Each structure stands twice: as structure tokens, then as C-alpha cells.
Amino acid sequence: MAPVTRHGWLRWLPVVAVAVYIAVPLICSVIYAVFPGGSFSLRAYSVLTEDASLLAAALRTVTVAGLTIAALLAVLVPAVVAVHLWAPRLRAVLEILCTLPLVVPAIALAAGIVGLLRWGAQQGRGSFASQVSQFMQNPDLPLILVGTYVVLCLPFTFRSIDAGLRTIPLKAMVEGSASLGSSTWGTIWRVVLPNIRGPVLFSIFFATALCFGEFSVAATLSQQTVPVWLFTVSNTDFRASIAVAVLLNLTTWALMLTATLIAGRSAPGARTTDAAEDNSTPDDDAGPVPTPDLQKVSV
């Protein structure tokens, strides 16, 4: 039995400090939003039904999030699987490429995109570059945001999916599936993805949280997403913007907590532990194990 230290509570001090750092601003925001003048009121949340621009911004943000998730998984999962199977030496190159967005500030990335779009618009109204620039900036479907958010999500989703693939016998699964007549894409869809469900769900929830929380790129590109709507409304109704921001914050934390729990339950180590516990459970219905009679055993 491990000895109990006198100051064992000190190990929880960083956890408590982080919890206080996160909880105190959130609690203050909730009090400010629902206790105007010291009395409980949900008047600040009436903006959810009264402001039509919020619904348009929310639909636009949901569309961008869905396209970002689809593009991210469709590009990254096959690339990481291919590197693990056929080109393990290129894994370091892919990792460097995917982690590059961490060293480039989001505002610098947005400034570069704005310069590229401006260059396309300057090529003439009927030119191909101008048409591409206008198509990418379509307010109803801002594909430029989709591409930017895919790049911003790459560092975290790559590490999550790469770690998930390292915990499964990927090569044996793919070879077994191919011997049964499945195609490469069928193997990825029906065999690989179910076995890395935790990392995939974490990537989905992380991309959703980023799309609903990112402000600098959307504001620089003049796209009316939910964070940009919050900034605009704060100039006229600051309490309402705080109330909606609290909902987004709680939703983000709920998504990340759900992703963490699902990733933990679907981890191979957790499944192995559960299987070991099931196998170690005695079978009461089987009855006593017969003991051999040693006197009848002949040498």
C-alpha cells in the first residue's frame, strides 16, 4: 500500500486553480445575464426569438461547421491511414504540415486570405480569378471559412486520429478486409472508422466548438457568424450578447466533455480492461470445479 503523504492535497492545487479560473468568469457572466438589478429575469434571452439575424448567423455557422467536419475527415483520415500503411517515413512530414497552423496566428492567416481574395477581384470582373474570389466569399455559403477552419483544426485532429490509429492493428485489419473483397474506401468506412470512433468524435466536437467560437477570421473576412453577431449586438444590447455567449460557452464545454468521455470509453485499453474483468468473473452457475483424484494417476 502506498504511503499517504502529509501534503497530498497539494497535487489537487493546480486542478482547483484551473477550475476557479474557468468557473469564476462564467458564474459572473451568468449572474450578470439573469440577475439584472438583483432580481431573476430571462429577458436577455428574448433576443433568441426576436432577432432574425441571429437565426441566419446560426444557420450559416452550422453549415460551415458541417462542411468543415466533412472536409476534415474526408481528407485527413485517408491521408493518415495511407501514411501508417504504406509510407511510415512520411509521417513526420505530414505531422509538420498539419502542425504548421499552430505557429501562424489566425489573424495573420486571415490577412493573407484577404490579400489573395483582393488580388483575385483585381483581375477583372469576368476573369476566372475574380469569379473564384466571389464564389468563395458567397455570404450564403462562405467556403472560404470552411477552408480556413479546416486548416485551423488540422493540428489537433491530426494528433487525435494519429494516436487512435496507433492503438489498433491497422495493417492486419486492412489486409483482412481486403482478403474478403472489400475496397480501400470500404475498409476505411466499415473497419477503420468504427475502431477509432473516440478520436473521430473528438475531432467532430472540436471542429464544431471552433466554428462556433472563432471570431478573428470571420470578422476579418466580413462573414456574419455567431461570434461576429455577438460582437455586433454587444454595441446595442450588451446583456443579451453576454447571455448568448454563456449558452455558447456551456455548449462548448458540454461538447468537449462528451468527446472526452466517449474517447475514454472507446479506447482499446478501456475495452481490454472491461474484457479482463468479465473474464475474471467467476461463473456461479457452472458449479464447483472437480478435483482430480491423485491416487488414480499413474506415472
Side-chain angles (χ1 to χ4, degrees), residues 89-108:
R89 294 183 179 180
L90 295 180
R91 180 189 170 277
V93 178
L94 183 61
E95 183 177 7
I96 292 174
L97 292 177
C98 291
T99 53
L100 275 178
L102 287 178
V103 300
V104 180
I107 188 64

Side-chain angles (χ1 to χ4, degrees), residues 1 21 48 50 53 73 79 84 87 93 121 145-146 151 154 169 175 208 215 217 236 244 246 254 260:
M1 182 176 180
Y21 177 79
L48 296 176
E50 295 177 356
S53 61
L73 296 180
H84 276 261
V93 178
L145 280 185
V146 175
V151 172
L154 278 179
E175 290 178 350
T208 303
F215 170 77
V217 174
T236 57
V244 177
V246 168
T260 303

Side-chain angles (χ1 to χ4, degrees), residues 6-246:
R6 296 180 56 186
H7 303 288
W9 58 272
L10 290 176
R11 70 183 65 179
W12 293 99
L13 188 59
V15 179
V16 174
V18 173
V20 171
Y21 177 79
I22 295 173
V24 169
L26 184 60
I27 293 174
C28 293
S29 299
V30 172
I31 294 175
Y32 177 80
V34 300
F35 287 97
S39 59
F40 179 79
S41 175
L42 296 178
R43 179 69 181 85
Y45 288 99
S46 62
V47 69
L48 296 176
T49 57
E50 295 177 356
D51 195 339
S53 61
L54 174 59
L55 179 60
L59 291 176
R60 186 177 296 108
T61 306
V62 169
T63 302
V64 170
L67 293 176
T68 300
I69 293 169
L72 192 65
L73 296 180
V75 173
L76 192 59
V77 172
V80 181
V81 170
V83 166
H84 276 261
L85 287 177
W86 302 299
R89 294 183 179 180
L90 295 180
R91 180 189 170 277
V93 178
L94 183 61
E95 183 177 7
I96 292 174
L97 292 177
C98 291
T99 53
L100 275 178
L102 287 178
V103 300
V104 180
I107 188 64
L109 181 63
I113 294 173
V114 168
L116 183 62
L117 295 175
R118 184 180 296 123
W119 172 85
Q122 292 174 352
Q123 301 306 307
R125 179 170 298 180
S127 63
F128 177 75
S130 177
Q131 293 177 359
V132 171
S133 177
Q134 293 177 2
F135 177 73
M136 298 294 289
Q137 299 179 79
N138 186 358
D140 297 330
L141 187 61
L143 294 178
I144 191 64
L145 280 185
V146 175
T148 306
Y149 290 164
V150 167
V151 172
L152 293 178
C153 291
L154 278 179
F156 307 98
T157 54
F158 168 80
R159 291 188 177 276
S160 177
I161 294 174
D162 180 68
L165 291 177
R166 285 171 172 267
T167 60
I168 63 175
L170 179 62
K171 188 174 183 179
M173 288 181 176
V174 173
E175 290 178 350
S177 179
S179 65
L180 295 175
S182 177
S183 63
T184 302
W185 286 104
T187 300
I188 293 176
W189 179 257
R190 290 190 294 266
V191 179
V192 177
L193 286 180
N195 283 277
I196 56 171
R197 181 182 60 180
V200 169
L201 288 178
F202 177 84
S203 302
I204 291 174
F205 291 149
F206 178 83
T208 303
L210 185 140
C211 293
F212 274 89
E214 200 283 324
F215 170 77
S216 58
V217 174
T220 305
L221 298 176
S222 301
Q223 298 294 336
Q224 189 73 6
T225 58
V226 172
V228 178
W229 178 89
L230 287 175
F231 176 76
T232 304
V233 171
S234 64
N235 296 325
T236 57
D237 193 348
F238 187 71
R239 194 180 301 275
S241 66
I242 294 298
V244 177
V246 168

Side-chain angles (χ1 to χ4, degrees), residues 256-278:
M256 300 306 292
L257 179 61
T258 303
T260 303
L261 293 177
I262 294 176
R265 289 181 180 179
S266 60
R271 292 196 297 268
T272 304
T273 304
D274 294 340
E277 292 178 354
D278 293 339

